[in-house]
Amino acid sequence: MILAMDAKRNDLLTGFYEKMVLINTVESSLLNLFAEGLLRGTVHTCLGQEAIPTGVCAALEPGRDIVCSNHRGHGHFLAFGGEARPLIAEIMGDASGVCRGIGGSQHIQLGNFYSNGILGGMSPVATGMALAEKRKGSGGVVVQFLGDGALAEGVVSEAFNMAALWSLPILFAVESNGFAQSTPTALEHAGKLSARGAPYGIPITELDGNDVLAVHAAAQEAVGAARGAGGPQILFMNTYRLGPHSKGDDPRDPAEIARHAEQAPIPRARAGLDPEWCDTTDHRIAAEVAAIIQGIRSARIAAQ
Ligand SMILES: Cc1ncc(C[n+]2csc(CCOP(=O)(O)OP(=O)(O)O)c2C)c(N)n1
């Protein structure tokens, strides 16, 4: 029995590790492309936060559930089953991208995946979608990803109220990385952020957002509760953004970042896996992502 549980845990961790490395590799490559001048606009990466999209989206049913993402949404897209090539092409402004290169980094839509860069703007949209799913009786759950900074937006409080009042099937997945751009949480918010659900009677679970297995287990429970007519749920997941807010804007102490890097989701997961397998996986995924980018660049040159 214990052996079977260990094997299941290992299988889960293996799959999650691959997904997190894919997200990390794509995100790092995007920062390189930006530095090369190959991306227009801006790009927000989720480096260091890979466990949250990976663990939460693994608790969802792709054809039935809906993901509403934010400005930091590439990881959510990849974790919800989106492919790397059309995502990268989209962000590169290429016509072969998910939204024909028109949406860019922050405005991506494919199937049941929607992202938008207006802070907190997806809270009422996601709440409306949850109302629609409830009325249809589809059994679908909507997950809205938002940062701790977005909790200061009034529209998020309004969405919490409506979702609770109408007992809607929605999970608000808060990625608390301690900053809103360059403002530390303590300078932005009064009171205890992880208690924000209490006035609305929304169950809220606070957890270590860098532990992918813990995120997955909490998401399974919260999604199950929302699907089972338990109304809205909030997961308040503590994490740390290792990359800059967007491209190069990072006023934080490099020593602080280095300290957090040791506790990031990928090294944490790696500690429970075979290091040789991890190295092989890292190299394979790096080669796959490099080939995707090379392919897009070559096609572009050929078309000129
Ligand atoms: C309504 C609105 N105001 C301001 C911005 C600019 N902006 C983009 S991200 C961001 C900080 C977001 O912080 P948080 O919600 O904690 O998410 P994180 O960036 O930390 O993932 C701000 C102020 C915006 N996109 N929308």
Side-chain angles (χ1 to χ4, degrees):
M1 183 66 178
I2 290 173
L3 277 180
M5 271 169 63
D6 281 353
K8 193 177 169 220
R9 187 180 181 280
N10 197 59
D11 283 354
L12 269 181
L13 196 57
T14 301
F16 291 161
Y17 182 85
E18 283 182 315
K19 188 66 84 182
M20 293 196 295
V21 170
L22 174 68
I23 293 171
N24 183 285
T25 309
V26 168
E27 296 283 53
S28 304
S29 307
L30 290 174
L31 286 181
N32 292 339
L33 288 172
F34 200 94
E36 268 193 76
L38 284 164
L39 301 187
R40 266 174 279 167
T42 190
V43 63
H44 304 83
T45 67
C46 67
L47 293 166
Q49 302 185 198
E50 300 90 349
I52 295 175
T54 302
V56 171
C57 290
L60 301 179
E61 288 181 32
R64 184 150 78 140
D65 297 332
I66 297 171
V67 167
C68 289
S69 171
N70 58 1
H71 57 288
R72 209 174 291 291
H74 314 145
H76 305 145
F77 178 84
L78 293 169
F80 195 48
E83 288 176 24
R85 195 205 175 280
L87 174 70
I88 296 170
E90 180 63 33
I91 299 166
M92 290 177 78
D94 197 272
S96 64
V98 197
C99 297
R100 290 181 287 139
I102 296 166
S105 165
Q106 298 182 73
H107 302 101
I108 293 172
Q109 190 278 319
L110 182 69
N112 283 356
F113 181 92
Y114 303 82
S115 71
N116 190 283
I118 305 293
L119 209 56
M122 286 306 262
S123 292
V125 175
T127 302
M129 287 178 171
L131 175 62
E133 294 312 300
K134 183 173 177 170
R135 287 198 171 163
K136 283 189 288 186
S138 69
V141 172
V142 181
V143 173
Q144 193 220 341
F145 288 100
L146 65 164
D148 48 314
L151 290 174
E153 296 288 340
V155 76
V156 176
S157 300
E158 294 181 43
F160 283 1
N161 183 53
M162 298 306 237
L165 189 66
W166 295 333
S167 191
L168 301 180
I170 183 164
L171 166 62
F172 296 101
V174 180
E175 305 190 56
S176 179
N177 62 16
F179 289 89
Q181 200 145 348
S182 51
T183 308
T185 307
L187 295 184
E188 189 192 7
H189 293 282
K192 198 167 182 258
L193 269 192
S194 60
R196 283 290 197 270
Y200 308 96
I202 302 179
I204 181 161
T205 305
E206 182 173 10
L207 66 143
D208 177 355
N210 282 3
D211 178 342
V212 70
L213 291 174
V215 171
H216 179 239
Q220 275 191 315
E221 202 163 309
V223 169
R227 207 186 301 288
Q233 312 286 318
I234 301 176
L235 289 181
F236 190 86
M237 295 168 280
N238 293 305
T239 183
Y240 189 86
R241 162 169 58 73
L242 291 178
H245 168 71
S246 46
K247 301 95 36 179
D249 45 346
D250 201 342
R252 298 170 305 173
D253 180 359
E256 173 190 316
I257 300 173
R259 253 195 335 274
H260 282 279
E262 289 170 18
Q263 293 305 316
I266 292 177
R268 290 266 292 275
R270 200 183 160 97
L273 293 166
D274 172 15
E276 254 181 59
W277 176 85
C278 290
D279 286 344
T280 310
T281 302
D282 295 356
H283 290 132
R284 174 177 55 78
I285 293 174
E288 284 168 8
V289 172
I292 287 171
I293 292 171
Q294 192 48 52
I296 299 168
R297 294 176 83 157
S298 305
R300 225 182 230 190
I301 292 163
Q304 277 169 2

